[in-house]
Amino acid sequence: MYKKLQTIDKTALSVICSLFLIIGGLIWGEQLCGGGEACPFITRPEVQEFSWQNQQLGLEDRAFTLTFNRPMDLASVEENLVIEPTLPGKISWAGRRLAYTLTVPIPYGESYKLQLQGGRERSGTTEIGLLMEPFFGKFKSRDRAFAYIGTNQTEQGQLVFYNLTQKKKIILTPPNLNVVEFKFYPKGDKILFSAASKNQGIQGLSELQLYQVTTGIDQDLSKPFQPSIEVILDNKDYQNNQFELSSDGETIVVQRLNRNNPADFDLWMVKPGTQPKRLNLPGGEFLITPDGQTLAVTKGEGVAIVPLQPNTEPLDFLPKFGRILNFSADGSAAAMVNFNMENAKLRYTKSLYYVNNQGIQKELLNIDGSIIDCKFNPSGTHLYCLLTQLLPSKDYQEKPYLAKIDVKTAQVLPLLELTNYRDIHISLSPDGLAILFDQILTTDNPSLNNAPVSNAGESIIGGRLWLLIPPATDGKEVTQPDLEELPLVGFHPQWSP
């Protein structure tokens, strides 16, 4: 006597029968179409994941990965991988994952397309593997953008953010503040700046507070944007002077003077969510190293390298140098100035040195003019410098110029002669392809108390902003630099990271 089938048994039988039918259909279909690449019943290899898909990328993004669902024939994939516009890089593999590491920083203000057609599955036999499904990806780099301090009537002393890619301008700070100095946070979404109330003239330099403001670079610029400002460090008990921001945006170092005790002059460390800490480290100019762990400080006749912690002893002291200008992006090298005091009685000169963490101290340049500023390019192979040449005249006159210096060969390539060098600021774009610089117009009219103040204590009443594209060097052929005056009025331009 047969027992009646239970419901669960009926379900199991139905599933089994369905699977048999599907498998049989696939086998029959494959035989019917011959099992070729055009056969719809064959599943092809494909890209499962592209790590940069629809991403917006910056200087810190140096590699992407493509993950496949099957082991691939490496040569066929590498030969058919196309990126437009071209991004030079190196390919490496780890199983089913391809990694593409850029050999140059990604140029800003570009949209990119990636396509892979023609790659094949790796076959364990002598037969050619199956052709993969075509893959198309897209990504973009950050917009070219920078900030500057305005000088015209409607923007005087205010911090202005300009998106060069989209030609959009945003005023970030209120009209009652004169901005003196500013630094971008690493993603360009915020700016740290020092400012004082207007109507104080040069006295405002002793009343600076530190603020933080949002830039809206990650916002849709077609929609209204309202900057958000907050005070980071007040001026109640201490006068705030020079400050630096670490490359990760987590540490601020400020030079402070006690208002009640002028002998109390020290560096302080400020971190988010904590009270400011005295470092007990008096000194002159200073820079935070790119790793955010140490500080380079000028002390007397030399530069001390000190851990970024209170009450610590220097890790190193470089007595030869009187200024530190810039670190390379990886922190392995620095550009420093030797004032050549040992030969000052014979001839007063200054030398630019390349100093690295392997103990190399290489003189790149010796001039009788001035070394105003230098910036490393992203790969650390060249320096872009603002220099001056002492003119042969009875009056002490210097002719300023911009130059590109090869740190390996010490070859100096002059780029552009300038008419004036006082208070000029230079800023190298994060991709190393463009330089911003300014030229200011000042007056000693004491009635202009609302105007920003120059380093010489004069009122800044105008400013011109310039964009310089350095020449490309291809073997012996050197192209001319491309110079453009921007339709903006201000000074102290600085690229967004």
Side-chain angles (χ1 to χ4, degrees):
M1 201 167 171
Y2 295 99
K3 291 184 178 179
K4 203 169 185 179
L5 290 174
Q6 300 294 320
T7 301
I8 191 171
D9 298 324
K10 292 178 181 180
T11 303
L13 284 172
S14 298
V15 172
I16 292 170
C17 291
S18 298
L19 289 173
F20 272 120
L21 288 172
I22 292 170
I23 293 170
L26 289 174
I27 294 173
W28 176 79
E30 184 178 348
Q31 291 175 344
L32 186 66
C33 66
E37 290 184 344
C39 181
F41 298 97
I42 297 296
T43 57
R44 301 170 183 272
E46 63 181 7
V47 173
Q48 285 184 320
E49 182 186 19
F50 171 40
S51 62
W52 279 3
Q53 182 72 338
N54 297 322
Q55 297 293 309
Q56 181 171 277
L57 310 168
L59 179 64
E60 68 278 9
D61 299 294
R62 299 305 298 266
F64 67 76
T65 58
L66 287 170
T67 305
F68 298 87
N69 64 338
R70 299 181 191 174
M72 301 297 292
D73 175 66
L74 309 189
S76 68
V77 172
E78 294 176 14
E79 291 169 1
N80 290 283
L81 182 64
V82 177
I83 304 173
E84 296 178 342
T86 302
L87 278 176
K90 297 179 180 179
I91 293 176
S92 59
W93 288 86
R96 294 182 290 111
R97 180 173 295 167
L98 174 151
Y100 191 91
T101 304
L102 303 185
T103 53
V104 296
I106 186 169
Y108 278 35
E110 297 281 356
S111 295
Y112 295 87
K113 294 180 180 178
L114 179 145
Q115 64 179 30
L116 179 54
Q117 301 182 84
R120 291 184 176 272
E121 180 182 17
R122 186 169 65 206
S123 174
T125 67
T126 56
E127 297 180 2
I128 298 176
L130 286 174
L131 191 67
M132 68 173 289
E133 290 283 352
F135 177 77
F136 301 91
K138 60 181 181 178
F139 56 97
K140 62 179 294 187
S141 56
R142 290 177 188 159
D143 289 347
R144 291 189 181 277
F146 61 91
Y148 64 94
I149 302 172
T151 57
N152 64 20
Q153 189 172 4
T154 58
E155 301 168 359
Q156 189 180 61
Q158 293 175 266
L159 190 58
V160 183
F161 184 76
Y162 187 70
N163 188 312
L164 187 61
T165 301
Q166 301 187 35
K167 310 298 183 188
K168 297 282 184 73
K169 182 170 70 171
I170 301 172
I171 299 177
L172 300 179
T173 58
N176 65 310
L177 291 179
N178 264 337
V179 176
V180 174
E181 181 62 88
F182 64 92
K183 311 284 182 183
F184 273 96
Y185 280 84
K187 293 184 179 180
D189 57 338
K190 296 182 295 184
I191 294 176
L192 179 70
F193 68 94
S194 60
S197 297
K198 288 186 176 179
N199 300 318
Q200 292 180 317
I202 195 169
Q203 295 301 319
L205 297 177
S206 63
E207 300 296 332
L208 299 175
Q209 296 193 127
L210 289 188
Y211 300 82
Q212 177 182 285
V213 63
T214 54
T215 65
I217 194 171
D218 52 355
Q219 305 290 321
D220 183 355
L221 291 184
S222 64
K223 300 178 181 179
F225 170 71
Q226 183 62 43
S228 174
I229 299 179
E230 64 175 301
V231 176
I232 300 299
L233 189 64
D234 64 40
N235 61 5
K236 182 180 178 182
D237 299 317
Y238 290 86
Q239 174 181 319
N240 300 311
N241 299 324
Q242 177 191 357
F243 70 91
E244 289 291 333
L245 178 65
S246 63
S247 57
D248 61 3
E250 293 298 317
T251 305
I252 304 167
V253 175
V254 189
Q255 190 183 67
R256 309 186 82 191
L257 173 67
N258 192 319
R259 294 191 178 279
N260 297 319
N261 180 12
D264 181 4
F265 185 71
D266 203 352
L267 297 182
W268 291 66
M269 180 172 61
V270 183
K271 286 181 173 290
T274 64
Q275 292 296 316
K277 292 183 180 179
R278 182 192 295 271
L279 291 174
N280 289 317
L281 188 64
E285 294 182 336
F286 59 94
L287 284 177
I288 303 175
T289 55
D291 63 4
Q293 301 301 310
T294 53
L295 198 67
V297 188
T298 57
K299 294 176 69 67
E301 295 182 2
V303 175
I305 309 299
V306 186
L308 199 48
Q309 295 292 335
N311 304 310
T312 53
E313 294 297 320
L315 298 171
D316 198 3
F317 186 74
L318 306 172
K320 183 187 292 187
F321 306 106
R323 286 189 69 199
I324 178 164
L325 300 173
N326 192 227
F327 286 105
S328 61
D330 62 4
S332 65
M336 297 189 181
V337 177
N338 184 344
F339 290 106
N340 298 328
M341 298 306 295
E342 65 276 10
N343 299 320
K345 292 182 179 180
L346 301 176
R347 180 169 174 258
Y348 186 66
T349 65
K350 304 177 187 69
S351 294
L352 175 65
Y353 272 79
Y354 170 85
V355 181
N356 70 11
N357 56 9
Q358 303 299 312
I360 294 176
Q361 297 181 4
K362 179 180 180 180
E363 186 181 51
L364 301 177
L365 184 70
N366 183 284
I367 58 176
D368 54 9
S370 299
I371 302 169
I372 309 298
D373 197 6
C374 289
K375 307 292 184 186
F376 276 100
N377 70 340
S379 59
T381 59
H382 291 80
L383 283 163
Y384 290 94
C385 296
L386 174 61
L387 309 169
T388 70
Q389 177 185 352
L390 186 63
L391 298 177
S393 64
K394 293 182 180 179
D395 298 328
Y396 188 89
Q397 295 183 5
E398 296 178 83
K399 180 177 69 176
Y401 63 100
L402 290 169
K404 178 181 180 180
I405 303 175
D406 188 317
V407 300
K408 183 177 181 180
T409 64
Q411 180 182 9
V412 179
L413 176 65
L415 300 177
L416 182 70
E417 290 187 3
L418 303 170
T419 56
N420 187 13
Y421 72 93
R422 290 194 312 157
D423 292 292
I424 287 181
H425 295 86
I426 62 172
S427 178
L428 181 65
S429 62
D431 56 15
L433 300 179
I435 297 173
L436 284 170
F437 67 94
D438 57 1
Q439 290 178 305
I440 64 170
L441 178 64
T442 63
T443 178
D444 57 2
N445 186 346
S447 65
L448 297 177
N449 289 330
N450 286 338
V453 179
S454 71
N455 292 338
E458 297 177 322
S459 297
I460 299 175
I461 57 175
R464 303 169 70 186
L465 300 179
W466 298 85
L467 177 66
L468 176 70
I469 307 299
T473 305
D474 183 14
K476 297 182 180 180
E477 183 179 352
V478 179
T479 61
Q480 292 298 313
D482 185 11
L483 180 65
E484 174 189 357
E485 183 174 4
L486 298 173
L488 304 166
V489 182
F491 70 102
H492 198 356
Q494 189 176 142
W495 287 107
S496 173

